[in-house]
């Protein structure tokens, strides 16, 4: 059943369905017939993942709300006692499809959010003899669906260990650049990859020290100017983001600030302008959130401590 109507109680049938669809996921260039086929399979996986999550919570009357994506579970994808069963996501990771999703999103966003967006979409409408609105809707749904699956994948440490981290870092940077260059806020902005990138950033740096032991994460971060781009976007476009997205970004920055490499080489990552933006983010954007939710101050303590240090750096530089 393509729409995922199998009962979760029949877990074997459900998992087989997920695995069958997952194995069909291959990288395709945007706006090709293969790309449209892949986008439909991705939508089917989102339907299955949502159904799985909904049934988990229907079975547990004490849990009244879906937990925030980005929160770390105590178990792994292969040991999910007491947690939401993420079989759809587990199978995607097992089948090595997370990096396919990552590359699909990266290549597609470059194609459909740039200056040639209208040309791409109108050409596809002509090629496939479809109305332009249908192509626009398909592209929009693709962006949202891939964003959902990637966000759920990156919630788990196993996914990050298998992830093509340079591509993920570049994707987050691209999202910030596109947001900075955009003249207007897009519809459903909270579901777009511009917003999802802040959650990816959070998941990535939640485990920064562990990842740094086996990868060059902070080298890629510095080389791509990820932190300056995050700070610039948060300061200049903060009104486009929900409080939850801003909090996720602040948490990500706190994890980054707490990393041993950053503590030892702060000036390698932040220019004077970056430091001023970090101060502004804390004083003007996060302060109202902290005032409304005082316990959040503890969550982002490393960021707040770093702000006080860079405040001294800025004062010293200007004297």
């Amino acid at each position: 059943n393509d729409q995922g109507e199998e009962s979760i109680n029949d877990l074997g049938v459900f998992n087989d369905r997920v695995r069958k669809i997952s194995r069909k996921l291959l990288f395709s260039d945007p706006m090709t017939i293969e790309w449209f086929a892949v986008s439909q399979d991705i939508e089917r996986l989102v339907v299955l993942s949502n159904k799985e999550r909904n049934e988990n919570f229907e079975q547990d009357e004490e849990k009244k709300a879906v937990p925030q994506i980005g929160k770390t579970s105590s178990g792994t994808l292969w040991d999910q006692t007491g947690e939401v069963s993420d079989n759809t996501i587990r199978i995607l990771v097992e089948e090595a499809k997370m990096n396919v999703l990552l590359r699909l999103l990266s290549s597609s966003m470059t194609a459909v959010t740039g200056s040639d967006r209208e040309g791409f979409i109108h050409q596809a409408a002509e090629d496939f003899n479809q109305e332009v609105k249908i192509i626009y809707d398909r592209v929009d749904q693709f962006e949202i669906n891939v964003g959902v699956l990637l966000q759920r994948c990156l919630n788990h440490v196993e996914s990050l260990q298998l992830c093509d981290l340079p591509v993920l870092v570049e994707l987050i940077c691209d999202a910030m650049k596109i947001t900075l260059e955009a003249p207007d806020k897009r519809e459903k902005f909270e579901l777009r990859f511009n917003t999802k990138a802040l959650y990816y950033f959070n998941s990535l740096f939640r485990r920064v020290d562990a990842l740094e032991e086996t990868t060059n994460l902070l080298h890629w971060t510095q080389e791509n100017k990820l932190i300056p781009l995050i700070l610039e976007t948060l300061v200049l476009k903060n009104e486009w983001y929900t409080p939850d997205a801003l909090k996720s970004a602040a948490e990500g920055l706190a994890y980054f600030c707490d990393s041993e490499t950053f503590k030892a080489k702060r000036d390698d990552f932040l220019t004077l302008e970056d430091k001023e933006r970090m101060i502004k983010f804390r004083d003007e954007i996060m302060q109202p959130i902290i005032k409304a939710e005082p316990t959040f101050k503890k969550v982002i303590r490393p960021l707040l401590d770093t702000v006080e240090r860079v405040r001294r750096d800025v004062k010293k530089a200007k004297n």
Side-chain angles (χ1 to χ4, degrees):
N1 187 315
D2 281 353
Q3 295 306 314
E5 304 240 340
E6 301 87 347
S7 170
I8 305 298
N9 293 329
D10 193 344
L11 195 57
V13 173
F14 179 85
N15 288 350
D16 285 347
R17 180 67 185 146
V18 173
R19 200 173 297 278
K20 181 179 178 181
I21 298 171
S22 297
R23 287 176 175 172
K24 292 166 63 181
L25 297 185
L26 298 171
F27 177 80
S28 305
D29 289 325
M31 304 296 153
T32 60
I33 192 168
E34 293 83 6
W35 184 89
F36 283 105
V38 166
S39 74
Q40 289 180 322
D41 286 330
I42 288 169
E43 186 164 0
R44 292 183 181 110
L45 289 170
V46 171
V47 169
L48 290 166
S49 180
N50 287 343
K51 183 176 179 63
E52 183 178 24
R53 285 168 174 248
N54 290 339
E55 290 205 10
N56 270 287
F57 286 100
E58 287 171 7
Q59 292 166 7
D60 188 347
E61 292 298 322
E62 293 180 1
K63 295 181 180 178
K64 299 297 183 183
V66 176
Q68 293 179 4
I69 296 170
K71 298 294 184 184
T72 308
S73 63
S74 58
T76 71
L77 279 168
W78 289 271
D79 177 24
Q80 297 179 3
T81 54
E83 301 289 342
V84 176
S85 294
D86 260 343
N87 288 297
T88 306
I89 301 306
R90 174 180 59 79
I91 291 167
L92 272 171
V93 173
E94 283 181 353
E95 296 293 332
K97 296 302 181 178
M98 191 191 65
N99 286 329
V100 174
L101 292 174
L102 189 59
R103 285 183 167 82
L104 281 167
L105 182 59
S106 179
S107 66
S108 298
M109 289 306 94
T110 301
V112 303
T113 63
S115 58
D116 293 335
R117 170 181 166 86
E118 286 194 18
F120 266 105
I121 288 176
H122 280 79
Q123 186 61 53
E126 183 179 330
D127 291 344
F128 297 106
N129 194 27
Q130 294 284 347
E131 293 180 14
V132 170
K133 184 182 183 302
I134 291 175
I135 304 298
Y136 269 114
D137 289 346
R138 173 51 58 190
V139 169
D140 282 350
Q141 201 57 49
F142 168 85
E143 176 185 357
I144 292 168
N145 287 336
V146 177
V148 166
L149 290 179
L150 270 177
Q151 193 172 351
R152 291 175 183 174
C153 283
L154 292 171
N155 188 35
H156 300 280
V157 66
E158 299 92 343
S159 300
L160 283 165
Q161 291 167 342
L162 299 170
C163 181
D164 191 334
L165 294 181
V167 175
L168 178 58
V169 169
E170 288 176 10
L171 177 67
I172 298 170
C173 288
D174 286 344
M176 298 303 103
K177 290 173 185 175
I178 288 170
T179 304
L180 287 167
E181 293 169 1
D184 301 301
K185 180 181 176 181
R186 301 166 68 198
E187 291 183 6
K188 300 180 182 177
F189 190 78
E190 70 279 4
L191 301 177
R192 303 293 184 181
F193 95 124
N194 314 67
T195 298
K196 294 295 183 186
L198 294 183
Y199 292 96
Y200 304 160
F201 173 71
N202 179 305
S203 295
L204 182 60
F205 283 91
R206 183 181 292 271
R207 302 164 178 97
V208 57
D209 282 330
L211 290 171
E212 184 66 4
E213 290 178 4
T214 56
T215 70
N216 291 316
L217 174 58
L218 288 174
H219 169 73
W220 298 320
T221 298
Q222 185 179 359
E223 188 176 64
N224 287 279
K225 301 188 186 304
L226 173 57
I227 302 304
L229 282 167
I230 290 282
L231 291 170
E232 185 178 5
T233 305
L234 292 174
V235 168
L236 297 182
K237 301 284 189 173
N238 64 85
E239 71 279 3
W240 289 12
Y241 292 99
T242 63
D244 188 69
L246 293 172
K247 285 169 61 180
S248 184
E251 281 188 41
L253 285 168
Y255 298 134
F256 169 75
C257 290
D258 204 34
S259 68
E260 294 303 321
T261 302
F262 174 74
K263 289 177 182 177
K265 300 177 179 180
R266 185 167 70 240
D267 289 342
D268 288 354
F269 289 91
L270 301 175
T271 65
L272 184 64
E273 185 177 26
D274 299 331
K275 292 176 180 179
E276 290 175 329
R277 284 183 173 137
M278 182 178 278
I279 294 167
K280 188 170 184 178
F281 176 64
R282 184 256 184 262
D283 292 351
E284 298 181 14
I285 301 162
M286 291 312 302
Q287 186 57 29
I289 293 176
I290 293 171
K291 188 174 181 180
E293 191 178 335
T295 55
F296 191 61
K297 192 171 184 177
K298 183 177 180 181
V299 176
I300 59 169
R301 173 55 63 191
L303 171 61
L304 301 180
D305 291 344
T306 299
V307 167
E308 295 314 308
R309 295 187 188 99
V310 302
R311 202 188 297 276
R312 292 193 291 270
D313 292 346
V314 170
K315 185 176 180 180
K316 183 178 179 181
K318 292 187 173 180
N319 285 340

